[in-house]
Amino acid sequence: MTLKEKLETDLSAAMKSRDELRTRTLRMALTAVKNEEVAGKRSRQLSDDDVVKVLAREAKKRREAATAFGDAGREEQARAERDEGEVLEQYLPAQLADEELTALVADAIAATGAAGPRAMGQVMKAVNPKVAGRAEGGRVAAEVRRQLAE
């Protein structure tokens, strides 16, 4: 069963159990997936990796919206965004722990022989395939920057 099929099956189950949060979130996620499939010159079938990228992007939107609503004093909307983000997180791979990310970056720096802040792109190119979907780009970049500055 592909990830998209799992989302569709879970949406059907959520609708039957009248789980409004899960229904709303999965509908939004499937819409984003379908929009991605028809984006560009030709429609295509997304792989599970592509679906994970779409879900990660949607989860990031939820985190950012929750922060914005929280800063504006709109706690009810912030809570709704956090709840939707939690539903999406269930379909994403487990996030890397800080120690794992630190080790991956250190290995990439050693493998590329990078030194100094100018080598950041080189290290990022080596690290990104290894962390794909398991850590946000900003978090990875911050760790690379920190280790290259040492």
Side-chain angles (χ1 to χ4, degrees), residues 48-144:
D48 277 356
D49 289 340
D50 293 332
V51 173
V52 166
K53 287 177 187 171
V54 171
L55 293 178
R57 189 170 56 230
E58 292 299 318
K60 183 178 179 189
K61 286 180 188 177
R62 296 298 162 283
R63 281 192 300 277
E64 290 171 353
T67 301
F69 281 133
D71 291 347
R74 300 172 69 183
E75 278 307 312
E76 191 172 317
Q77 288 94 337
R79 179 79 237 149
E81 293 291 338
R82 282 192 291 272
D83 291 344
E84 287 181 8
E86 289 171 9
V87 171
L88 290 173
E89 293 292 332
Q90 296 170 5
Y91 297 95
L92 295 172
Q95 293 293 299
L96 285 174
D98 289 338
E99 303 82 40
E100 293 172 299
L101 181 59
T102 301
L104 282 173
V105 171
D107 292 345
I109 290 173
T112 59
R118 290 180 175 218
M120 185 165 172
Q122 184 182 8
V123 176
M124 288 295 289
K125 190 183 288 185
V127 171
N128 277 336
K130 296 176 184 172
V131 300
R134 299 184 303 153
E136 261 185 43
R139 191 171 149 224
V140 175
E143 181 60 27
V144 170

